């Protein structure tokens, strides 16, 4: 689903506005990321955009990337308008390795280094019954999410190794822990990312590169959501808190892991889901009658 | 991260001066109860919460250790904290502790169950008494604290937040099986009540530390303790501040949407490394690839 498929009024009313994101009372001290360079894939939308706002507000030098120039421009302008900070943006797709090379070249050219890589990009999945997935539906998700984030991680790590600089990677994934009926492709890609990350956390420890994930449950976002605001009533039964998180819950989790608070954390997946992995159900495609409780 | 090389970690004055990622008034007006607050990780947690403006109450078995923490915070930060000598193994003493907290502050915002411990021994040689002591303190004692807090929060109509410090049990614990059993119990009771107590607005999470340089390591043979820092891919020990900042993260608004979670702060020990509480047995040191069955 894209934003154009949705009722804009419903979209507006669900999740935090850019203004609210900018004004959110954060737990962190306000110069926490001063002097740090942060690259956020998918920083033009949803969780990535909230992370971009927070990192900019905490003094970080921020570069965002995403597929759509218009969305990137809107985020750059929004950060300028609400926070008075300049951030950089590049339109590209992370599953194109040459585009990742060009992006990182620009980061190093502009800032001379990178401290934090946040992968919130990829995805674009539409929910569906797995039995009817086309080959392209499956491979598109695996390619854009798993492969795209892999190119970002590996290429950043190669530069960090070369520069003998420490690095910190945070990958955003969904709540995969009990499977994701209706989103089998996305679950596979995100699980792959979690366990690739765990492997890299060990292999790249000698380079002082930490690799962690934030697993998010149902989050109210004001823009694109595969499950959509129309399902928001249903979504509040997705966890024992009977509520959705907000985008700042995720942005603050990313900062916690990337900042010195996370300096002894690697290979960890921090789940921010209101307890969804223990109780609750999410059926983005509607709950089949078979599972109805008599 | 030079402190990673110091066996017993940050000293008291380093704790006081340690920079924090958090906003300085984050816990103003909030009350935080920390068990085991007299020593090691608990002392670090108490210092950080006090610095962030919380009303801090610590409890523990030894009045002297509690007083040292209180003195440290008073002398260096000019902040008074409360301390109560008691044991969490006695439900009556737990009830009276909560009476005193409510009498004085009328509320509790965060309960940190940090008290606990174990001794290293080959499990085949545990006495019944030794086993029971570890299970009683770590599992039963923590449970009394959790349940008592939840009842008070329910009766007062207040939201609550419980953080249990456990040990990293994901791959078992070596020469500390009693602790694995007790801590696994704490982790899974936490997950269960995270669901059951969600209607009461009580969040329940755990923090799972790996090798942490602290005075707690004095309980182990020095030769064994010196090897703990190799027990993760980062090849260093964390410090009590890493755990204290994790406690603040989960205890603050940043953790509003987190419940039933176990946050590992372990340098990647979940994936790689070995902690032998009493030292690595010869079998594992010598036996790799040596025989074919």
């Amino acid at each position: 689903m894209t934003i154009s498929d949705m009722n804009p009024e419903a979209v507006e009313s669900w999740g935090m506005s850019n203004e609210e994101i900018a004004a959110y009372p954060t737990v962190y001290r306000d110069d926490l990321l001063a002097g740090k360079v942060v690259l956020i894939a998918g920083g033009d939308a949803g969780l990535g955009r909230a992370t971009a706002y927070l990192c900019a507000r905490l003094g970080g030098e921020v570069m965002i990337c995403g597929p759509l120039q218009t969305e990137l421009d809107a985020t750059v302008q929004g950060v300028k308008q609400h926070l008075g900070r300049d951030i950089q943006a590049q339109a590209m797709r992370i599953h194109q390795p040459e585009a990742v090379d060009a992006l990182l070249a620009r980061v190093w050219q502009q800032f001379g280094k990178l401290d934090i890589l946040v992968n919130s990009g990829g995805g674009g999945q539409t929910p569906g019954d797995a039995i009817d997935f086309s080959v392209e539906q499956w491979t598109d998700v695996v390619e854009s999410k798993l492969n795209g984030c892999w190119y970002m991680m590996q290429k950043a790590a190669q530069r960090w190794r070369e520069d003998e600089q420490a690095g910190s990677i945070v990958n955003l994934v969904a709540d995969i822990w009990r499977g994701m009926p209706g989103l089998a492709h996305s679950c596979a890609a995100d699980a792959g990312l979690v366990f690739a990350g765990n492997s890299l956390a060990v292999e790249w420890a000698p380079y002082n590169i930490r690799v962690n994930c934030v697993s998010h449950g149902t989050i109210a976002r004001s823009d694109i959501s595969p499950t959509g605001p129309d399902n928001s009533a249903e979504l509040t039964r997705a966890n024992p808190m009977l509520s959705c998180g907000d985008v700042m819950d995720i942005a603050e989790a990313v900062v916690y892991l990337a900042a010195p608070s996370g300096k002894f954390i690697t290979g960890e997946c921090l789940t921010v889901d209101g307890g969804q992995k223990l109780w609750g159900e999410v059926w983005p495609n509607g709950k089949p009658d078979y599972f109805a409780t008599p | 991260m030079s402190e990673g090389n110091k066996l017993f970690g940050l000293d008291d004055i380093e704790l006081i001066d340690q920079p924090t990622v958090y906003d300085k008034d984050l816990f103003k007006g909030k009350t935080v109860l920390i068990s085991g607050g007299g020593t090691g990780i608990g002392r670090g947690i108490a210092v950080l919460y006090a610095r962030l403006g919380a009303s801090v109450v610590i409890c523990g078995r030894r009045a002297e250790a509690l007083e040292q923490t209180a003195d440290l915070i008073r002398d260096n930060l000019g902040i008074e904290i409360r301390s109560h000598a008691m044991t969490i193994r006695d439900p009556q003493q737990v009830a009276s502790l909560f009476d005193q907290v409510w009498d004085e502050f009328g509320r509790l915002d965060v309960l940190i169950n940090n008290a606990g411990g174990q001794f290293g021994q080959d499990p085949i040689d545990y006495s019944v008494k030794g086993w029971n002591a570890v299970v009683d303190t770590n599992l039963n004692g923590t449970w009394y604290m959790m349940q008592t807090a939840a009842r008070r929060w329910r009766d007062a109509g207040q939201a609550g937040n419980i953080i249990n410090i456990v040990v990293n049990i994901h791959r078992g614990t070596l020469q500390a099986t009693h602790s694995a059993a007790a801590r696994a119990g704490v982790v899974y009771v936490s997950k269960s009540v995270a669901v059951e107590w969600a209607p009461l607005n009580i969040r329940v999470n755990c923090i799972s530390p790996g090798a942490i340089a602290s005075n707690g390591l004095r309980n182990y043979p020095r030769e064994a303790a010196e090897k703990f820092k190799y027990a993760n891919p980062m090849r260093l020990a964390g410090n009590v501040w890493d755990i204290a900042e994790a406690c603040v993260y989960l205890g603050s608004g940043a953790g509003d949407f987190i419940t039933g979670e176990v946050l590992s702060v372990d340098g990647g020990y979940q994936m790689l490394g070995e902690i032998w509480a009493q030292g690595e047995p010869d079998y594992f040191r010598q036996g790799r690839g040596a025989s074919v069955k």
Side-chain angles (χ1 to χ4, degrees):
Chain A
M1 189 181 290
T2 66
I3 196 158
S4 58
D5 299 326
M6 291 178 175
N7 171 358
E9 276 169 18
V11 171
E12 295 257 326
S13 65
W14 202 55
M16 297 169 75
S17 69
N18 290 338
E19 215 162 356
E20 289 170 323
I21 289 170
Y24 186 88
T26 178
V27 300
Y28 298 109
R29 66 165 210 259
D30 54 16
D31 62 343
L32 182 59
L33 296 179
K36 301 291 177 189
V37 179
V38 187
L39 172 60
I40 302 166
D44 58 336
L47 310 177
R49 178 168 57 204
T51 305
Y53 270 72
L54 182 58
C55 290
R57 183 166 146 203
L58 297 175
E61 300 293 339
V62 175
M63 165 89 84
I64 59 173
C65 63
L68 297 172
Q69 189 69 54
T70 49
E71 297 297 308
L72 293 165
D73 289 346
T75 302
V76 171
Q77 281 157 19
V79 170
K80 180 77 179 165
Q81 182 192 336
H82 296 298
L83 296 168
R85 299 263 311 163
D86 289 311
I87 65 168
Q88 309 300 315
Q90 179 144 330
M92 53 83 70
R93 291 177 189 273
I94 59 171
H95 64 271
Q96 294 168 343
E98 321 75 52
V100 174
D101 285 332
L103 171 72
L104 292 177
R106 185 174 158 199
V107 170
W108 255 262
Q109 189 186 14
Q110 197 141 355
F111 302 109
K113 66 164 187 172
L114 178 65
D115 296 288
I116 298 163
L117 168 63
V118 181
N119 284 313
S120 178
Q125 67 275 15
T126 46
D129 294 331
I131 202 164
D132 296 321
F133 281 169
S134 68
V135 170
E136 289 73 25
Q137 251 180 306
W138 176 269
T139 53
D140 280 358
V141 172
V142 171
E143 173 119 336
S144 71
K145 182 82 200 210
L146 178 58
N147 295 356
C149 292
W150 164 246
Y151 301 138
M152 292 288 282
M153 291 196 290
Q154 189 196 27
K155 289 170 185 296
Q158 287 171 349
R159 283 176 175 269
W160 281 325
R161 178 180 62 180
E162 198 175 319
D163 290 359
E164 296 184 10
Q165 277 184 359
S168 177
I169 299 172
V170 182
N171 296 312
L172 299 193
V173 298
D175 206 276
I176 59 172
W177 311 112
R178 295 190 287 144
M180 292 165 56
L183 288 166
H185 40 15
S186 195
C187 193
D190 279 356
L193 193 49
V194 170
F195 276 81
N198 288 355
S199 311
L200 305 175
V202 175
E203 286 196 52
W204 295 350
Y207 306 123
N208 287 316
I209 298 170
R210 296 188 295 109
V211 187
N212 293 292
C213 296
V214 173
S215 158
H216 60 86
T218 54
I219 305 293
R221 5 183 323 186
S222 60
D223 58 345
I224 307 166
S225 168
T227 37
D230 297 342
N231 293 332
S232 57
E234 195 58 39
L235 282 175
T236 57
R237 285 190 287 275
N239 60 62
M241 291 187 170
L242 306 184
S243 67
C244 288
D246 61 53
V247 292
M248 295 311 286
D249 292 321
I250 304 307
E252 290 198 315
V254 170
V255 169
Y256 169 73
L257 291 170
S261 39
K263 73 184 195 306
F264 193 52
I265 305 179
T266 194
E268 174 64 336
C269 189
L270 172 58
T271 301
V272 182
D273 72 347
Q276 182 187 323
K277 72 178 175 183
L278 304 169
W279 182 94
E281 295 177 25
V282 176
W283 295 98
N285 226 16
K287 187 170 175 168
D289 292 340
Y290 176 91
F291 295 103
T293 310
Chain B
M1 282 185 235
S2 59
E3 73 273 11
N5 297 318
K6 278 165 58 181
L7 185 55
F8 302 120
L10 301 170
D11 64 32
D12 282 347
I13 295 307
E14 287 171 318
L15 268 186
I16 295 288
D17 294 336
Q18 201 68 7
T20 179
V21 301
Y22 297 108
D23 184 49
K24 64 177 164 35
D25 291 328
L26 190 58
F27 276 85
K28 217 169 184 175
K30 308 275 182 172
T31 303
V32 181
L33 171 59
I34 303 157
S35 71
T39 53
I41 290 172
R43 178 174 292 178
I45 298 168
V47 168
L48 180 55
Y49 270 104
R51 276 177 45 180
L52 297 176
S55 300
V56 173
V57 184
I58 55 174
C59 63
R61 277 176 308 163
R62 294 192 301 118
E64 194 192 337
L66 296 171
E67 277 315 308
Q68 284 171 5
T69 298
D71 290 347
L72 172 73
I73 290 171
R74 182 188 312 110
D75 296 348
N76 293 281
L77 300 171
I79 298 166
E80 289 290 342
I81 68 165
R82 294 283 172 270
S83 67
H84 296 283
M86 51 83 71
T87 173
I88 58 170
R89 286 159 73 160
D90 177 358
Q92 312 272 290
Q93 292 187 41
V94 171
S96 119
L97 169 71
F98 278 84
D99 283 342
Q100 293 173 69
V101 170
W102 249 267
D103 282 352
E104 177 150 18
F105 300 101
R107 63 185 288 157
L108 180 64
D109 294 282
V110 183
L111 166 64
I112 297 173
N113 286 308
N114 164 71
Q118 57 277 317
F119 56 91
Q121 188 182 18
D122 291 330
I124 205 164
D125 296 323
Y126 288 166
S127 68
V128 170
K129 195 176 158 205
W131 171 272
N132 280 331
V134 172
V135 172
D136 199 26
T137 302
N138 293 288
L139 178 56
N140 299 345
T142 300
W143 169 246
Y144 302 142
M145 295 285 281
M146 292 170 72
Q147 191 194 31
T148 306
R151 287 174 174 175
R152 302 284 169 137
W153 282 321
R154 180 188 58 187
D155 295 348
Q158 289 174 358
N161 189 340
I162 299 173
I163 299 168
N164 297 317
I165 313 283
V166 294
V167 299
N168 207 304
I169 53 162
H170 303 95
R171 295 189 291 139
T173 61
L174 305 174
Q175 299 163 329
T177 306
H178 39 26
S179 190
R183 312 301 189 137
V186 171
V187 168
Y188 275 81
V189 80
S190 299
K191 287 175 186 275
S192 306
V193 296
V195 176
E196 289 195 55
W197 295 349
L200 303 174
N201 286 317
I202 298 170
R203 296 194 290 114
V204 188
N205 293 291
C206 297
I207 292 169
S208 169
I212 299 297
S214 87
N215 280 320
L217 297 189
R218 292 187 200 277
N219 297 330
Y220 301 94
R222 192 177 174 106
E223 208 172 303
E226 277 171 350
K227 293 203 170 127
F228 288 178
K229 70 178 177 210
Y230 300 115
N232 61 64
M234 295 178 98
R235 311 280 285 178
L236 55 83
N239 61 31
V240 300
W241 209 246
D242 295 318
I243 306 304
E245 292 206 317
C247 285
V248 168
Y249 172 71
L250 290 174
S252 74
D256 269 353
F257 195 53
I258 306 179
T259 195
E261 173 65 337
V262 181
L263 173 58
S264 291
V265 181
D266 69 353
Y269 167 67
Q270 287 183 90
M271 270 77 60
L272 185 83
E274 302 168 29
I275 294 180
W276 292 94
Q278 291 292 101
E280 185 182 20
D282 288 344
Y283 174 93
F284 292 99
R285 201 177 306 148
Q286 299 163 356
R288 294 188 185 98
S291 66
V292 178
K293 274 203 173 139

